[in-house]
Amino acid sequence: MPRGDKSAYTDKQKRMAAHIEEGYEKRGVPVEEAEARAWATVNKETGGGKKSGSGRGKPMNTQPSRTGGERGGTASAARPAAMRSASAKKAASSRTPEQRSASARKAAATRKRNAEAKKG
């Protein structure tokens, strides 16, 4: 099996890698680098190709994805509150009526849940 051959990976692992790669490309990472990072993440989470016999049943470790999610948002947090607020208002004004009502329902449900949590 030549180096870089993906035949030992399951379809799910291949889909995971493609999705992760898309995310990196959207953020401006070069295509080859995005692919390498995506497969490194899949290998870290799933333990490599799972199509061969021994060790197929090991659980996934999603910690690498969690770590990336926790690290995200630092650029936004570094911006002043007024700038974040203006950006949110601009985004809200561009939403369709259907999107606005969905957002309003979600916000109302969150407020209700928080109020109930404070009561008891």
Side-chain angles (χ1 to χ4, degrees), residues 8-81:
Y9 290 89
T10 63
D11 290 340
K12 180 178 179 178
Q13 288 174 309
K14 291 174 185 174
R15 287 193 308 271
M16 285 171 62
H19 184 71
I20 294 166
E21 184 179 349
E22 279 178 28
Y24 278 125
E25 288 173 4
K26 281 182 186 175
R27 286 180 274 171
V29 175
V31 177
E32 287 184 8
E33 174 71 14
E35 183 181 9
R37 286 187 191 183
W39 282 107
T41 304
V42 169
N43 286 337
K44 185 79 170 177
E45 290 186 358
T46 62
K50 290 202 167 197
K51 276 195 176 174
S52 59
S54 162
R56 282 185 76 169
K58 293 186 180 176
M60 278 182 45
N61 170 23
T62 55
Q63 189 58 39
S65 294
R66 283 180 58 94
T67 303
E70 287 168 359
R71 287 181 184 165
T74 52
S76 177
R79 293 165 57 209

